[in-house]
Amino acid sequence: MKLIPFAILSILVFGVMLLTANQFSAYALEFAHETMWGEKGVAQGQFNQVSGIGVDSEDSVYVSDFAGYTTQMIQKFTPNGTFILGFGTFGNGPQYFTNPAGIAINSNDSIYIADFGNPTYAIKEFTPNGTFIRSIGSFGLGPGLFISPGGVGVDKENNLYATDFGENNNVQKFDQDGNFLMSFGSPGLSDGQFNNPADVAIDSNNDIYVTDSSNNRVQKFDQDGNFLMKFGTFGSGNGQFKAPIDLAIDPSDNIYVSDSDNNRIQVFNNNGTYITQFGNIGALHELIKDPVGIALDSQGNVYVADGRDTDIHVFSPIP
């Protein structure tokens, strides 16, 4: 039997490992508009003003209705948009909503929803069937307090992160029981500072990404909140932003950013290098008018909540 030299064998093994690690990004460089669902209204499956979206381990889709003022401010759907259930009632108590926004779902399928309406100013946690678990945070400027919580994310240890785009302009971290752990960021334009941080997402290395919306950039931090890098400037070109809002991260740690005022989704690698964009070309009904929420399912499909058309667009990766 002819032996393969070690150097060549190493290259072959590395190549297989690289293919496996990058399998997702290999086919996720282009996306096609698959379908859309939802419409304006207050009935089941309708929305008044979509604001956030999340996908659980079963690929069920949760959508928050920012100004629904109904008994179903959070709705749960199948991937094709079939209504499953609704929960979340307008009100002032810990289990109620005023203005539900960002959604994050941990590995246990606990649903976290940011509510920045007066007087709750907190993160609400629910089970997948809509049973209230706890309220995390309250109004204020100190640790564990919020002025306007808007975006939420979870890491692989199920720690919860929340952005506060009000006077605090920071990101706060809690354990899975809702205990405050740390915060980072302050108002400003410098590295590590924010002007309306809209959302937060965490990659497989526990690095933290924050959409710094009014500064038109994304900032990256380590798990201790230390600034690492930033990418994006104001504009309409590749890699530029006009009010980036939501974030999602795929298994290869590619970063998906809802570029709201440019009416598109942009994709970057974890070093901030531009890869592609979608949602701004195609037939009229396929175009995103105001992407306010973004989430990925286990198949790499991208769900985009359109704040202007009040519906959900689904984009599938092209093999």
Side-chain angles (χ1 to χ4, degrees):
M1 180 178 67
K2 185 176 181 180
L3 298 179
I4 301 176
F6 178 78
I8 297 177
L9 180 62
S10 299
I11 293 172
L12 291 174
V13 171
F14 177 76
V16 173
M17 292 173 61
L18 187 63
L19 177 61
T20 302
N22 290 329
Q23 188 175 17
F24 189 96
S25 58
Y27 70 74
L29 296 180
E30 295 184 54
F31 293 85
H33 190 275
E34 182 72 20
T35 187
M36 56 189 295
W37 41 267
E39 60 183 358
K40 189 80 169 180
V42 295
Q44 293 180 351
Q46 297 180 328
F47 311 107
N48 189 47
Q49 180 62 64
V50 294
S51 51
I53 191 167
V55 178
D56 68 15
S57 64
E58 301 296 325
D59 285 344
S60 297
V61 183
Y62 300 78
V63 181
S64 56
D65 198 347
F66 176 78
Y69 299 105
T70 71
T71 57
Q72 297 178 345
M73 301 185 80
I74 310 300
Q75 296 187 63
K76 179 179 180 180
F77 301 87
T78 65
N80 65 5
T82 300
F83 177 85
I84 298 175
L85 61 86
F87 61 93
T89 303
F90 177 78
N92 294 330
Q95 72 271 36
Y96 300 108
F97 290 107
T98 303
N99 294 125
I103 298 177
I105 302 171
N106 72 12
S107 64
N108 300 318
D109 282 342
S110 288
I111 319 299
Y112 296 97
I113 303 154
D115 184 14
F116 64 87
N118 182 42
T120 53
Y121 301 100
I123 311 302
K124 310 299 175 68
E125 181 180 356
F126 292 82
T127 67
N129 65 5
T131 300
F132 175 75
I133 299 176
R134 62 172 62 91
S135 181
I136 301 169
S138 57
F139 180 77
L141 295 172
L145 305 177
F146 301 103
I147 298 297
S148 297
V152 283
V154 292
D155 64 22
K156 57 188 178 183
E157 281 82 38
N158 284 336
N159 295 306
L160 170 69
Y161 300 75
T163 64
D164 191 344
F165 63 86
E167 187 177 347
N168 282 322
N169 276 293
N170 64 11
V171 176
Q172 300 195 51
K173 180 180 179 180
F174 303 83
D175 67 20
Q176 61 180 336
D177 296 318
N179 300 307
F180 174 82
L181 297 176
M182 72 170 192
S183 65
F184 60 91
S186 60
L189 305 175
S190 300
D191 294 345
Q193 294 185 314
F194 302 115
N195 186 4
N196 292 324
D199 194 29
V200 56
I202 301 86
D203 69 13
S204 64
N205 299 311
N206 274 344
D207 289 330
I208 305 163
Y209 300 80
V210 182
T211 44
D212 190 5
S213 184
S214 294
N215 283 330
N216 295 291
R217 63 188 180 182
V218 174
Q219 297 196 65
K220 180 180 179 181
F221 302 83
D222 67 19
Q223 61 184 346
D224 297 316
N226 299 306
F227 174 83
L228 296 177
M229 61 163 288
K230 62 188 176 184
F231 57 93
T233 57
F234 178 79
S236 301
N238 295 344
Q240 295 184 315
F241 300 114
K242 290 184 179 179
I245 296 181
D246 218 22
L247 287 167
I249 300 180
D250 71 23
S252 292
D253 286 337
N254 294 317
I255 316 302
Y256 297 65
V257 184
S258 61
D259 189 7
S260 64
D261 286 352
N262 280 322
N263 308 313
R264 63 185 178 181
I265 304 300
Q266 295 197 73
V267 186
F268 303 81
N269 68 17
N270 60 357
N271 293 317
T273 301
Y274 169 84
I275 297 175
T276 190
Q277 61 184 287
F278 58 92
N280 54 346
I281 58 173
L284 184 62
H285 72 278
E286 298 176 348
L287 301 180
I288 306 171
K289 307 294 175 52
D290 181 21
V292 292
I294 181 172
L296 278 69
D297 69 13
S298 64
Q299 304 303 309
N301 298 307
V302 183
Y303 297 79
V304 181
D306 190 330
R308 187 178 304 175
D309 283 347
T310 319
D311 55 17
I312 307 300
H313 293 258
V314 185
F315 296 85
S316 298
I318 300 175

